[in-house]
Amino acid sequence: MSDQEEEFTAQNIPDASGKRDSAYETITIPVPSEDLPESDQTEDNESAPEDNESAPEPPGGGHEVRSEAQSDQSPSSLETNDAEHLLEEIMLPEQVLDSPVDSERHSLAQLDNAMQSTKQQSDDYHLTSFLDKIKAVKESLKTSMQYSLATVKVVLLPVCQEIIMRFRIDTSFKYLKDHFANQLSVPADVLQIRYAGTILKNNETLLQHGISAQDIVQVEIFSTLPDLYPIKGIRGLNEASQVITVRVQTGIDQYEEVAVEVIKSDLHKPFLGGFRHKITGIEYHNAGTQTVPKKTLEKCNVFCRDTQTVFQRKKLQQTTNTTSTQMTKIGVYVSNMTDKLVTPGKYFSAAEYHAKRLAAVIVLQTYYRRWHAKVVVENIRRQKMLRLKWEEEEKLRKIREKEEWMKLDYYRRHNPQTKEDFELLYNALELWRQEELECINQTFTGAERKAALCELLEKETQLIASIGRHRHNAYMENQEALIQAFLDKCSAPKAWKGFDGKITEMDTQFTIRARELQNIYKCIMLKNISQDERLDVLLTLKHTVKEHECTLTKEILELIDREVDLMMRGVKHHNLEGLRKRISTLFFHYLKTPLFNPEVARHLKVPQDPLKFYKKIHFCYSCQLYLPSTEFAVSSTAHHVHRCRKCVSLDNETRKRESFLKYKCILQRLFYSEADYEDDSKIAFLMQLEDIQYLTENIWSGQSVLSAWKDLGDLVLVRWDKSLQWSPWNCILLTKDESAAHLKLASIEEEYEHTFIHKIKHKHILAKNYFSQIPVLASFMFDDDEIEATRKQCFTETTPNLVECQRPSP
């Protein structure tokens, strides 16, 4: 047998050393002997190491006859043949047992016996090399056995307890099932093992499912009869530590295995930072997140009753003081020059004493109360002055706001730019027409009335034409402003903010190209310049466009040559405006082409797939066009889409001429006020302009409920009950000052009268009946059960009445 064959056969023989049992397994799964197919042979193999120490015996009888027949050969050949004979006995396939553990022990024991027998027979060089081969085979067996284990993560369902353990990839799952049946006190035939959605059988192994050594697998164990045999968590496993083996590379082709103890803890360790490898992408955390923090000692109770109680002791003490008096007597003279005559005063009783003290206290109280009254009055006077000053400031502020609003309205009427500005103009025109019409009806009759009406119609026509001219001019100015803003964005340099807060700008080759084209476009759009300057601009444009050849550039070059030819012939400037407009328009298309201006690709809108718009296309019955859904203004109560935005706006300009600017202001104030609450209010943001208009005009009659103020610019919609979210059935229309005072009320029932509250509730019922047509708002009014009950009440099953047709008898 060659060296390669010996090496290949030895690597396929598993090994079960004691080191694997202690270092690699967290939970040891015993292999029962009755499950092995050859129990007698296992017992012989287990006792083989003990017998081989004294006299090694071959397990087969045929090999004994062979060894006796060859005893007459030379010693060297005998020794070699015996060693080969022992190796063949180890490599025989029929000696490998079904149990992996017993087969490993048997093969290792035979290897040890072969080594001992060969050492005792000869010290020849060939024998030494053969023994080295045997050692290499044994080491390869241990290594192959060591790396035939996989990490299995067992999840017990439905308790979701996770158990990590080491398991052989060539061992059947029956041993794993028996182990957990013993741990859970559940019959083994009730348990099922599932891996990747597949139920595993008892005789299957991890190797059959493509799991190799050192892999990590997750399996689930559940009970087929959860009512009779429920799976409960295994106690004591979460607290116990687990040991895993980590293979660490210590050098080139050098590895070291380190046993690591895994301690499960419910403590949430804080993240203390780390870093990520830029090439491999592996994240490394700081060491502080991998250590258990120090436990702080519990403080003992430092509070007790003894430290809060004062013990008092009273003890009377009196010291002796000896005094003496001396009077004049015989033999003793005491002078009386310093004596004083003491006469008793007027006696007063205790009542008189207390009365005197009371009078003194009254005097003190009088002066104190006077001082306190002066302080209170001064505070009231100061508050009054502040109040009057605040009221004056508020009055001036309101006047100032009113003046600013009127100035803004005046400016918007004289310089209309937006759609709202033209709505104001048409609204003012309609108000003027109605006043003139009323004046004509009251003043003239007959033919004079008809003549006045014709004159009014001519004035109205002239005003409409003037508004149209203003609209066209505003449209052209807005288009020019949009083009300039677009070119400014394309030619703007790259800018970013540094760590020191300074803004850094950088120009790229694309931004420089865009800025050059923008300068050329600005020069083309210049007016009132000389002929030479115009020729220089056209020459620069021609050289710029010549860089690319396409249909667009050819047309621009033709127009440039035509303008130059007409200028040389002396054509006036106002006759060349149309030609110059064509040149500027084509050059703008040149600017918007990414092939000629690469920077513009970042700012152009990417055209979407037209197939996605088929379901969002609607037909406008007014202009007879198919338009996308964004061109239609749909109200909350609308069931069908009939007219687009342009047709609705045109109909408003020709008939009603209403201005929706004030309703937009009310809706905007509502959005701002509800956003300040930050209580997840939703209904207010579902309201649209038509809903606010209906709510203001039809429900609240376009005026404040308290003061009947009709100026919509001063009215706001606020919550009736501020503890609930805003809705059409929980709102009230007030002025700005009234709304601020209303929101400060603590209780609505205590501050308002019952008749006023009844009036507000009635308006809320009207709003609820109208807005209940909207399914989204109806879900906020009622619960799902209430909606179903309402549908059942409203739905009546009707059966058709059969009418018998009776023909008249002949």
Side-chain angles (χ1 to χ4, degrees):
M1 183 182 296
S2 62
D3 298 342
Q4 296 179 355
E5 293 175 352
E6 290 173 0
E7 229 175 56
F8 176 79
T9 312
Q11 288 178 358
N12 294 329
I13 299 176
D15 180 28
S17 61
K19 185 183 297 184
R20 176 188 57 81
D21 295 337
S22 60
Y24 289 89
E25 291 190 358
T26 302
I27 299 175
T28 305
I29 301 179
V31 181
S33 59
E34 59 270 15
D35 295 336
L36 299 177
E38 299 178 5
S39 59
D40 298 333
Q41 191 174 2
T42 305
E43 294 175 356
D44 296 337
N45 291 330
E46 288 177 354
S47 59
E50 299 177 358
D51 300 336
N52 289 337
E53 292 178 358
S54 59
E57 295 179 4
H63 297 285
E64 294 176 357
V65 177
R66 180 180 178 183
S67 62
E68 291 176 358
Q70 294 179 358
S71 60
D72 298 334
Q73 297 178 1
S74 62
S76 61
S77 61
L78 178 61
E79 292 170 357
T80 307
N81 292 334
D82 289 342
E84 293 178 356
H85 167 65
L86 290 174
L87 184 60
E88 290 175 0
E89 286 179 350
I90 295 172
M91 301 302 176
L92 281 177
E94 52 266 30
Q95 298 298 328
V96 179
L97 302 180
D98 294 339
S99 175
V101 179
D102 296 334
S103 62
E104 294 156 8
R105 293 177 179 175
H106 178 67
S107 58
L108 291 176
Q110 288 182 346
L111 284 172
D112 293 334
N113 295 335
M115 290 174 61
Q116 291 176 7
S117 61
T118 51
K119 283 181 180 180
Q120 292 175 2
Q121 290 176 2
S122 176
D123 294 330
D124 191 65
Y125 172 76
H126 298 286
L127 254 174
T128 305
S129 61
F130 181 74
L131 289 175
D132 294 337
K133 293 180 181 180
I134 295 298
K135 289 181 180 179
V137 169
K138 184 175 181 181
E139 291 296 327
S140 64
L141 286 174
K142 291 182 180 180
T143 304
S144 61
M145 183 56 221
Q146 184 175 353
Y147 293 104
S148 63
L149 297 174
T151 302
V152 179
K153 182 180 181 182
V154 182
V155 181
L156 301 179
L157 299 179
V159 295
C160 296
Q161 183 181 8
E162 298 180 358
I163 302 171
I164 302 174
M165 58 189 301
R166 304 281 286 173
F167 192 74
R168 289 180 54 82
I169 60 175
D170 56 348
T171 303
S172 61
F173 289 105
K174 185 178 185 302
Y175 303 139
L176 183 64
K177 187 182 294 185
D178 293 341
H179 170 72
F180 280 98
N182 185 24
Q183 293 288 336
L184 299 171
S185 300
V186 176
D189 54 348
V190 177
L191 298 179
Q192 290 289 347
I193 302 177
R194 180 169 58 197
Y195 168 68
T198 306
I199 304 299
L200 304 178
K201 299 180 181 179
N202 292 341
N203 57 351
E204 292 181 350
T205 61
L206 290 174
L207 193 60
Q208 296 178 0
H209 289 271
I211 306 302
S212 59
Q214 305 299 328
D215 286 352
I216 300 176
V217 202
Q218 178 175 341
V219 298
E220 301 171 355
I221 296 180
F222 60 93
S223 174
T224 56
L225 300 174
D227 296 331
L228 296 178
Y229 301 100
I231 292 182
K232 300 179 180 180
I234 303 176
R235 298 182 179 179
L237 288 182
N238 291 335
E239 292 79 5
S241 61
Q242 299 179 358
V243 179
I244 61 175
T245 301
V246 180
R247 191 183 185 196
V248 181
Q249 184 175 2
T250 59
I252 300 176
D253 297 336
Q254 294 181 3
Y255 297 93
E256 181 181 353
E257 296 179 357
V258 180
V260 179
E261 182 179 5
V262 180
I263 300 176
K264 292 190 176 181
S265 176
D266 296 334
L267 178 65
H268 176 69
K269 297 182 291 184
F271 178 69
L272 301 180
F275 60 93
R276 182 175 62 84
H277 201 284
K278 291 185 178 180
I279 298 177
T280 61
I282 301 176
E283 294 184 357
Y284 298 92
H285 292 178
N286 291 341
T289 60
Q290 301 174 2
T291 58
V292 180
K294 295 181 180 180
K295 294 183 178 180
T296 57
L297 298 177
E298 296 182 359
K299 294 183 178 180
C300 59
N301 189 11
V302 295
F303 303 101
C304 62
R305 187 174 181 81
D306 297 339
T307 59
Q308 300 176 2
T309 306
V310 178
F311 295 95
Q312 296 181 355
R313 293 181 181 180
K314 294 183 179 181
K315 185 177 180 181
L316 298 178
Q317 294 182 356
Q318 185 176 4
T319 58
T320 59
N321 186 10
T322 305
T323 58
S324 62
T325 59
Q326 189 174 9
M327 304 296 293
T328 301
K329 66 178 183 176
I330 299 173
V332 177
Y333 173 77
V334 178
S335 177
N336 57 0
M337 296 301 293
T338 58
D339 293 346
K340 293 180 181 179
L341 181 62
V342 178
T343 57
K346 185 180 178 181
Y347 176 78
F348 57 90
S349 62
E352 294 175 350
Y353 173 77
H354 289 298
K356 185 178 181 181
R357 301 305 300 168
L358 179 60
V361 169
I362 290 174
V363 173
L364 292 176
Q365 287 182 351
T366 302
Y367 283 99
Y368 171 75
R369 290 178 180 179
R370 178 187 175 186
W371 171 82
H372 189 268
K374 291 175 66 177
V375 172
V376 172
V377 171
E378 188 65 26
N379 290 334
I380 294 174
R381 185 182 293 108
R382 189 188 309 108
Q383 292 178 4
K384 179 184 177 181
M385 295 299 296
L386 293 176
R387 176 70 182 182
L388 293 175
K389 183 178 179 181
W390 177 80
E391 289 179 356
E392 188 68 23
E393 291 177 355
E394 286 294 316
K395 185 177 179 180
L396 294 176
R397 183 183 62 83
K398 291 179 182 179
I399 295 174
R400 196 182 305 111
E401 288 181 356
K402 194 71 176 179
E403 292 177 354
E404 290 178 357
W405 175 264
M406 294 179 64
K407 288 181 180 179
L408 179 62
D409 185 71
Y410 182 82
Y411 177 78
R412 298 178 73 170
R413 291 173 188 269
H414 285 76
N415 300 283
Q417 297 292 331
T418 61
K419 178 182 176 182
E420 290 79 9
D421 299 343
F422 289 101
E423 286 182 357
L424 287 175
L425 284 178
Y426 280 106
N427 187 21
L429 176 62
E430 181 64 20
L431 294 177
W432 171 81
R433 190 188 69 84
Q434 291 179 359
E435 291 179 359
E436 293 292 328
L437 182 62
E438 185 178 358
C439 181
I440 290 173
N441 292 332
Q442 293 177 358
T443 306
F444 302 103
T445 57
E448 294 180 354
R449 179 176 175 274
K450 291 183 179 180
L453 291 177
C454 291
E455 185 179 358
L456 176 63
L457 182 61
E458 290 179 0
K459 290 181 179 180
E460 184 182 2
T461 306
Q462 293 176 1
L463 292 175
I464 292 175
S466 176
I467 293 174
R469 289 192 297 271
H470 279 287
R471 174 176 287 181
H472 178 72
N473 295 335
Y475 175 77
M476 298 303 296
E477 291 177 2
N478 293 336
Q479 287 295 113
E480 188 65 28
L482 290 175
I483 292 174
Q484 292 298 331
F486 177 76
L487 295 177
D488 290 339
K489 285 195 297 184
C490 294
S491 60
K494 310 293 182 181
W496 64 89
K497 190 174 183 180
F499 66 93
D500 53 353
K502 295 181 179 179
I503 303 298
T504 305
E505 296 182 352
M506 181 187 69
D507 281 323
T508 62
Q509 54 180 351
F510 299 145
T511 57
I512 295 173
R513 170 70 175 176
R515 193 176 298 114
E516 292 176 356
L517 296 177
Q518 182 187 14
N519 294 332
I520 296 174
Y521 181 81
K522 288 181 179 180
C523 294
I524 292 174
M525 298 300 295
L526 289 177
K527 297 180 179 179
N528 300 326
I529 59 176
S530 62
Q531 184 175 354
D532 296 336
E533 293 176 348
R534 182 67 182 178
L535 290 175
D536 292 340
V537 172
L538 293 178
L539 183 61
T540 306
L541 176 61
K542 188 173 184 180
H543 287 300
T544 304
V545 173
K546 272 185 177 180
E547 298 176 358
H548 306 87
E549 293 185 2
C550 62
T551 306
L552 179 62
T553 56
K554 290 179 180 179
E555 188 173 357
I556 294 174
L557 293 175
E558 291 178 0
L559 294 177
I560 291 173
D561 295 337
R562 187 183 304 175
E563 182 181 357
V564 171
D565 183 46
L566 293 175
M567 289 175 64
M568 293 294 103
R569 295 187 181 187
V571 179
K572 296 182 179 180
H573 295 289
H574 63 272
N575 294 330
L576 297 176
E577 290 182 357
L579 182 60
R580 291 175 178 177
K581 182 65 177 176
R582 289 183 61 189
I583 294 175
S584 61
T585 304
L586 291 177
F587 185 65
F588 181 68
H589 286 296
Y590 179 87
L591 289 176
K592 291 177 65 176
T593 306
L595 179 62
F596 312 135
N597 188 8
E599 187 65 22
V600 82
R602 297 177 61 250
H603 304 282
L604 287 177
K605 292 183 180 180
V606 180
Q608 300 181 4
D609 187 6
L611 298 178
K612 296 181 180 180
F613 292 99
Y614 285 164
K615 296 182 180 180
K616 299 180 181 180
I617 297 297
H618 299 281
F619 180 72
C620 178
Y621 292 90
S622 180
C623 60
Q624 303 293 319
L625 294 176
Y626 288 94
L627 300 173
S629 58
T630 55
E631 296 295 329
F632 292 86
V634 184
S635 63
S636 302
T637 57
H639 298 281
H640 302 284
V641 178
H642 297 287
R643 294 185 300 176
C644 61
R645 297 178 187 270
K646 292 183 178 180
C647 295
V648 171
S649 177
L650 183 61
D651 180 71
N652 181 43
E653 293 175 0
T654 54
R655 295 182 182 181
K656 297 181 180 180
R657 295 174 180 173
E658 295 180 351
S659 177
F660 301 99
L661 179 61
K662 295 183 178 180
Y663 298 109
K664 289 181 180 179
C665 294
I666 294 176
L667 183 61
Q668 190 175 12
R669 294 193 200 103
L670 175 61
F671 288 162
Y672 288 153
S673 62
E674 287 301 309
D676 293 338
Y677 279 102
E678 297 181 355
D679 57 352
D680 197 15
S681 177
K682 299 179 181 178
I683 302 179
F685 299 98
L686 297 176
M687 304 301 292
Q688 297 185 9
L689 190 61
E690 293 81 2
D691 304 329
I692 295 296
Q693 183 182 5
Y694 180 86
L695 193 63
T696 304
E697 296 294 338
N698 299 86
I699 303 298
W700 300 103
S701 302
Q703 62 182 4
S704 172
V705 186
L706 291 175
S707 60
W709 186 260
K710 294 185 178 181
D711 189 2
L712 295 179
D714 297 334
L715 299 180
V716 291
L717 282 169
V718 295
R719 297 184 181 185
W720 168 251
D721 186 1
K722 61 183 179 181
S723 61
L724 303 176
Q725 66 171 337
W726 188 95
S727 60
W729 52 93
N730 184 35
C731 66
I732 184 172
L733 185 64
L734 300 171
T735 62
K736 296 178 181 179
D737 299 335
E738 293 170 353
S739 63
H742 171 76
L743 295 176
K744 293 180 181 179
L745 298 179
S747 176
I748 299 175
E749 289 77 9
E750 296 178 359
E751 301 295 338
Y752 293 121
E753 295 182 355
H754 294 288
T755 56
F756 181 78
I757 295 175
H758 179 73
K759 179 181 177 181
I760 299 300
K761 292 293 180 65
H762 176 68
K763 293 183 179 295
H764 288 171
I765 292 173
L766 294 178
K768 185 177 290 186
N769 292 336
Y770 176 78
F771 287 98
S772 61
Q773 306 173 16
I774 309 172
V776 178
L777 297 182
S779 62
F780 290 99
M781 298 181 191
F782 313 103
D783 297 335
D784 296 338
D785 299 337
E786 296 180 0
I787 294 176
E788 290 295 331
T790 305
R791 289 178 179 175
K792 290 181 180 179
Q793 291 177 2
C794 298
F795 178 75
T796 57
E797 184 178 358
T798 58
T799 57
N801 296 326
L802 299 178
V803 180
E804 296 181 0
C805 182
Q806 297 180 357
R807 296 182 180 180
S809 58

